[in-house]
Amino acid sequence: MTRRSATAAVAALSLLSVGLLSGCGIRATTVPVDVGAAPSRVSCKTAAGTSASAGTGGVQGVRATVELVCGAQLVGVQRVVQVPEKRPSRDAAVLVGRALLEALQREPSAEDREAGFTTEVPAGLTAGAPRPGDPAGTLRLSRKPEDLPPVALSQLVCTLAASDVVSPGPGPVVLGGPDTDPPRAWECTDAVRSRPESVTTLGDVVRPKASPAPSPS
């Protein structure tokens, strides 16, 4: 077969292939097609909670940011938590902390679940007042913080860290367990929010010992 006849045969085969593809409803192309990123399975978007109200029975609704899990990360959503209207200032952090914990334990609505939101905070977990000698702002949990599922602990730490009542300053959240062990400091960072299973403690928080009284001269 001559070079010219071979070239003609190749061209004929190419035309035949195009014709077969067209007949099957497939459009032949010789350039790559950019179809964009794969569609996300969850939106991680949900409607904001209802407006805060005065409430009834000595309870008021307070708007707060609650950290839920979506797409293996923490995403803050607006919720209305119920706290007592009249509360002693020394108990405010505990009462608000309890309300935030209850909000984390609440099963997400059907709308939230459709958007991809879940919560890992176990039911039955409670928060109580600090023990004598604990640093100010300490919350004592009914389980040791380090015994909680890491994602659940990250949800709790980041939710409490966003509260001006529980964590009024830029410092870490201080959590203790039901025993007499010193409470530990936990910090909500961008790394924790993006990988909530990686939460680690900053260490024990122990109240500094008082300086000895000067000896009488």
Side-chain angles (χ1 to χ4, degrees):
M1 180 182 294
T2 64
R3 183 184 300 273
R4 178 175 298 176
S5 60
T7 302
V10 171
L13 288 173
S14 299
L15 290 174
L16 179 61
S17 300
V18 171
L20 290 174
L21 290 172
S22 299
C24 294
I26 302 175
R27 183 177 180 181
T29 179
T30 58
V31 295
V33 177
D34 183 8
V35 296
S40 174
R41 294 183 179 181
V42 295
S43 66
C44 292
K45 295 181 180 179
T46 185
T50 56
S51 300
S53 60
T56 58
V59 176
Q60 67 175 359
V62 176
R63 186 176 294 277
T65 300
V66 175
E67 299 289 339
L68 298 180
V69 183
C70 190
Q73 299 182 346
L74 297 187
V75 179
V77 297
Q78 290 292 304
R79 289 291 181 266
V80 175
V81 299
Q82 303 297 322
V83 297
E85 288 183 300
K86 297 180 180 180
R87 55 183 184 271
S89 59
R90 69 179 185 277
D91 297 333
V94 175
L95 296 177
V96 173
R98 286 174 179 167
L100 293 173
L101 174 58
E102 291 172 1
L104 287 171
Q105 293 169 322
R106 195 170 300 124
E107 183 70 18
S109 65
E111 179 186 7
D112 289 344
R113 292 195 301 271
E114 184 177 354
F117 288 99
T118 61
T119 183
E120 300 296 327
V121 179
L125 182 68
T126 60
R131 290 178 174 273
D134 285 347
T138 298
L139 283 180
R140 285 280 180 174
L141 305 177
S142 56
R143 291 175 58 182
K144 288 185 176 182
E146 55 269 28
D147 289 344
L148 293 173
V151 174
L153 179 58
S154 294
Q155 285 185 257
L156 182 58
V157 168
C158 288
T159 297
L160 296 176
S163 170
D164 292 336
V165 177
V166 179
S167 182
V173 174
V174 182
L175 299 174
D179 50 26
T180 58
D181 290 344
R184 291 185 168 186
W186 306 85
E187 189 175 24
C188 179
T189 63
D190 291 340
V192 170
R193 291 178 60 85
S194 61
R195 295 185 58 198
E197 72 280 359
S198 65
V199 62
T200 57
T201 180
L202 299 178
D204 294 349
V205 181
V206 181
R207 185 176 64 178
K209 294 181 180 180
S211 302
S215 58
S217 55

